[in-house]
Coordinates of all heavy atoms in Angstrom, one line a residue:
E60 N -1.2 2.3 7.3 CA -2.6 2.8 7.2 C -3.5 1.7 6.9 O -4.6 1.6 7.6 CB -2.6 3.8 6.1 CG -3.9 4.6 5.9 CD -3.7 5.7 4.8 OE1 -3.1 6.7 5.1 OE2 -4.2 5.5 3.7
L61 N -3.2 0.8 6.0 CA -4.1 -0.3 5.7 C -4.2 -1.3 6.8 O -5.2 -1.9 7.0 CB -3.6 -1.0 4.4 CG -3.7 -0.2 3.1 CD1 -3.0 -0.9 1.9 CD2 -5.2 0.0 2.7
A62 N -3.1 -1.5 7.6 CA -3.1 -2.4 8.7 C -4.1 -1.9 9.8 O -4.8 -2.7 10.4 CB -1.7 -2.6 9.3
L63 N -4.2 -0.6 9.9 CA -5.1 0.0 10.9 C -6.5 0.0 10.3 O -7.5 -0.3 11.1 CB -4.7 1.5 11.1 CG -5.7 2.4 11.9 CD1 -5.9 1.9 13.3 CD2 -5.2 3.8 11.9
M64 N -6.7 0.3 9.1 CA -8.1 0.6 8.5 C -8.7 -0.6 7.9 O -9.9 -0.5 7.5 CB -8.0 1.8 7.5 CG -7.6 3.1 8.2 SD -7.7 4.5 7.0 CE -9.4 4.7 6.8
T65 N -8.0 -1.7 7.7 CA -8.6 -2.9 7.0 C -8.1 -4.1 7.7 O -7.3 -4.1 8.6 CB -8.0 -2.9 5.5 OG1 -6.7 -3.5 5.5 CG2 -8.0 -1.6 4.8
P66 N -8.7 -5.3 7.3 CA -8.3 -6.5 7.9 C -7.0 -7.1 7.3 O -6.7 -8.3 7.6 CB -9.5 -7.5 7.7 CG -10.5 -6.7 6.9 CD -9.9 -5.5 6.4
Y67 N -6.4 -6.4 6.4 CA -5.2 -7.0 5.7 C -4.0 -7.2 6.6 O -3.7 -6.3 7.4 CB -4.9 -6.2 4.4 CG -5.8 -6.6 3.3 CD1 -7.0 -5.9 3.1 CD2 -5.5 -7.7 2.5 CE1 -7.9 -6.3 2.1 CE2 -6.4 -8.1 1.5 CZ -7.6 -7.4 1.3 OH -8.5 -7.8 0.3
H68 N -3.2 -8.2 6.3 CA -2.0 -8.5 7.0 C -0.8 -8.5 5.9 O -1.0 -8.8 4.8 CB -2.0 -9.9 7.6 CG -3.1 -10.1 8.6 ND1 -3.0 -9.6 9.9 CD2 -4.3 -10.7 8.5 CE1 -4.1 -9.9 10.6 NE2 -4.9 -10.5 9.7
Y69 N 0.3 -8.1 6.4 CA 1.5 -8.2 5.5 C 2.0 -9.6 5.5 O 2.3 -10.2 6.6 CB 2.6 -7.2 6.1 CG 3.9 -7.3 5.4 CD1 4.1 -7.2 4.0 CD2 5.1 -7.6 6.2 CE1 5.3 -7.4 3.4 CE2 6.3 -7.7 5.6 CZ 6.5 -7.6 4.2 OH 7.7 -7.7 3.6
L70 N 2.2 -10.1 4.3 CA 2.7 -11.5 4.2 C 4.1 -11.5 3.8 O 5.0 -12.1 4.5 CB 1.8 -12.2 3.1 CG 2.1 -13.7 3.0 CD1 1.5 -14.5 4.2 CD2 1.4 -14.2 1.7
V71 N 4.5 -10.9 2.7 CA 5.8 -11.1 2.1 C 6.0 -10.0 1.1 O 5.0 -9.4 0.6 CB 5.9 -12.5 1.5 CG1 5.2 -12.6 0.2 CG2 7.4 -12.9 1.4
T72 N 7.2 -9.7 0.7 CA 7.5 -8.7 -0.4 C 8.2 -9.5 -1.5 O 9.1 -10.3 -1.3 CB 8.5 -7.6 0.1 OG1 7.8 -6.9 1.2 CG2 8.8 -6.6 -1.0
L73 N 7.8 -9.2 -2.7 CA 8.4 -9.8 -3.9 C 9.3 -8.7 -4.5 O 8.8 -7.6 -4.9 CB 7.3 -10.2 -4.9 CG 6.2 -11.1 -4.4 CD1 5.1 -11.3 -5.4 CD2 6.8 -12.4 -3.9
D74 N 10.6 -9.0 -4.5 CA 11.6 -8.0 -4.9 C 12.0 -8.3 -6.4 O 12.6 -9.3 -6.6 CB 12.8 -8.1 -4.0 CG 13.8 -7.0 -4.3 OD1 13.7 -6.3 -5.3 OD2 14.8 -6.9 -3.5
S75 N 11.5 -7.5 -7.3 CA 11.8 -7.7 -8.7 C 12.6 -6.5 -9.3 O 13.0 -5.6 -8.5 CB 10.5 -8.0 -9.5 OG 9.7 -6.8 -9.3
A76 N 12.8 -6.5 -10.6 CA 13.8 -5.6 -11.2 C 13.4 -4.1 -10.9 O 14.3 -3.4 -10.4 CB 13.8 -5.8 -12.7
R77 N 12.2 -3.7 -11.0 CA 11.9 -2.3 -10.9 C 10.8 -2.0 -9.8 O 10.5 -0.8 -9.6 CB 11.4 -1.8 -12.2 CG 12.5 -1.6 -13.2 CD 12.1 -1.1 -14.6 NE 11.4 -2.2 -15.3 CZ 11.9 -3.2 -16.0 NH1 13.3 -3.3 -16.0 NH2 11.2 -4.0 -16.6
H78 N 10.4 -3.0 -9.1 CA 9.4 -2.8 -8.1 C 9.6 -3.7 -6.8 O 10.2 -4.7 -6.9 CB 8.0 -3.2 -8.6 CG 7.5 -2.4 -9.8 ND1 7.8 -2.8 -11.0 CD2 6.7 -1.3 -9.9 CE1 7.3 -1.9 -11.9 NE2 6.6 -1.0 -11.2
L79 N 9.1 -3.2 -5.7 CA 8.9 -4.0 -4.5 C 7.4 -4.2 -4.5 O 6.6 -3.3 -4.4 CB 9.4 -3.3 -3.2 CG 10.9 -3.0 -3.1 CD1 11.1 -2.2 -1.9 CD2 11.6 -4.3 -3.0
T80 N 7.0 -5.5 -4.5 CA 5.5 -5.8 -4.5 C 5.2 -6.5 -3.2 O 5.6 -7.6 -2.9 CB 5.2 -6.7 -5.7 OG1 5.5 -6.0 -6.9 CG2 3.7 -7.0 -5.7
H81 N 4.5 -5.7 -2.3 CA 4.1 -6.3 -1.0 C 2.8 -7.1 -1.1 O 1.8 -6.5 -1.7 CB 3.9 -5.2 0.0 CG 5.1 -4.2 0.1 ND1 6.4 -4.6 0.4 CD2 5.2 -2.9 -0.3 CE1 7.2 -3.5 0.3 NE2 6.5 -2.5 -0.1
V82 N 2.8 -8.3 -0.7 CA 1.6 -9.1 -0.7 C 0.8 -8.9 0.6 O 1.4 -9.3 1.7 CB 1.9 -10.6 -1.0 CG1 0.6 -11.4 -1.1 CG2 2.7 -10.8 -2.2
L83 N -0.4 -8.4 0.5 CA -1.2 -8.2 1.7 C -2.4 -9.2 1.6 O -3.0 -9.3 0.5 CB -1.8 -6.8 1.8 CG -0.7 -5.6 1.7 CD1 -1.4 -4.3 1.8 CD2 0.4 -5.8 2.7
R84 N -2.6 -9.9 2.7 CA -3.6 -11.0 2.6 C -4.5 -11.0 3.9 O -4.0 -10.7 5.0 CB -2.8 -12.3 2.5 CG -3.7 -13.5 2.4 CD -2.9 -14.7 2.0 NE -2.5 -14.6 0.6 CZ -1.6 -15.4 0.0 NH1 -1.0 -16.4 0.6 NH2 -1.3 -15.2 -1.3
I85 N -5.7 -11.4 3.7 CA -6.6 -11.8 4.8 C -6.6 -13.3 5.0 O -6.1 -13.8 5.9 CB -8.1 -11.3 4.6 CG1 -8.1 -9.7 4.4 CG2 -8.9 -11.7 5.8 CD1 -9.4 -9.2 4.0
D86 N -7.0 -14.0 3.9 CA -7.0 -15.4 3.9 C -7.3 -15.8 2.4 O -7.5 -14.9 1.6 CB -7.8 -16.1 4.9 CG -9.3 -15.7 4.8 OD1 -9.8 -15.4 3.6 OD2 -10.0 -15.7 5.8
M87 N -7.4 -17.1 2.2 CA -7.7 -17.6 0.8 C -9.2 -17.3 0.4 O -9.5 -17.5 -0.8 CB -7.4 -19.0 0.6 CG -5.9 -19.4 0.6 SD -5.1 -18.4 -0.8 CE -3.8 -17.8 0.2
N88 N -10.0 -16.9 1.3 CA -11.4 -16.6 1.0 C -11.7 -15.2 0.5 O -12.8 -14.9 0.1 CB -12.3 -16.9 2.2 CG -12.3 -18.4 2.6 OD1 -12.3 -19.2 1.7 ND2 -12.2 -18.6 3.9
S89 N -10.7 -14.3 0.6 CA -10.8 -12.9 0.2 C -9.6 -12.6 -0.7 O -8.5 -13.2 -0.6 CB -10.9 -12.0 1.4 OG -12.0 -12.4 2.2

Side-chain angles (χ1 to χ4, degrees):
E60 186 173 285
L61 291 172
L63 168 66
M64 296 185 71
T65 78
Y67 279 90
H68 300 282
Y69 170 56
L70 186 71
V71 76
T72 298
L73 309 173
D74 186 350
S75 59
R77 287 179 286 281
H78 300 84
L79 293 173
T80 303
H81 311 296
V82 181
L83 308 182
R84 180 167 291 169
I85 302 171
D86 57 31
M87 284 306 132
N88 297 319
S89 299

